[in-house]
Amino acid sequence: METKRLVKNVWNLDAEPVGAMAAADGLASGAGPGPGRRSGRVRTRLLGYEHADGEIEPGGPSDDREAAGEMRFPVGWLVIVEGPGQGEAFELAPGVSTIGRGEDQAVQLDFGDTSISRVGHAAIAYDSETRGFYIGQSSRANTVRLNGKPVASTEALAHGDLVTVGETVLALAALCGPDFSWEMQDGA
């Protein structure tokens, strides 16, 4: 199941389908993934949900909710504050969101920064049980920085933290956290 997302420029709030959304539209019409595009799931080394068979799947539990027809609400956004694509924002869903230049990435940073890996440069997860965000470096070849310091393992993220991948700096705009979650609204 492809992840659908909308990218919004924070200065122009008209939403346009891009990347995985456009690819999903092509798949729905029977066009297939097309030449040079990968279909299937992306695996991540540090963040994900492990199945009994050992396969690690980004966003596992949230994908189950989407398949059941439940509404998926945003838990936050990543906004490019420096580098190519400055001002673009990416909606984060519960579970794991991979970051890379490829069309199958939840946070597709294909604005010309070729120092970002195509697949899984980093991954950001929102855990609804702890109401917290976490970041992990998926690729050992490329450095990910959190507030200027290299990410060596999975680390906690907070609203306003800066994540650097390649020459691009992203800020976390957290909606959910200790004071608010969508589960709280449902009485959970």
Side-chain angles (χ1 to χ4, degrees), residues 15 43 51 56 60 64 81 84-85 93 105 118 120 126 151 163-164 184:
R43 293 179 184 214
H51 294 274
I56 296 176
D64 294 341
V81 294
Q105 302 299 284
R118 287 190 191 284
Y126 175 75
V151 173
V163 175
T164 304
M184 289 172 65

Side-chain angles (χ1 to χ4, degrees), residues 30-57:
R37 293 191 203 146
R38 287 182 40 195
S39 62
R41 297 207 180 268
V42 176
R43 293 179 184 214
T44 182
R45 290 187 189 135
L46 295 177
L47 295 173
Y49 296 90
E50 189 167 346
H51 294 274
D53 63 4
E55 180 182 350
I56 296 176
E57 176 182 348

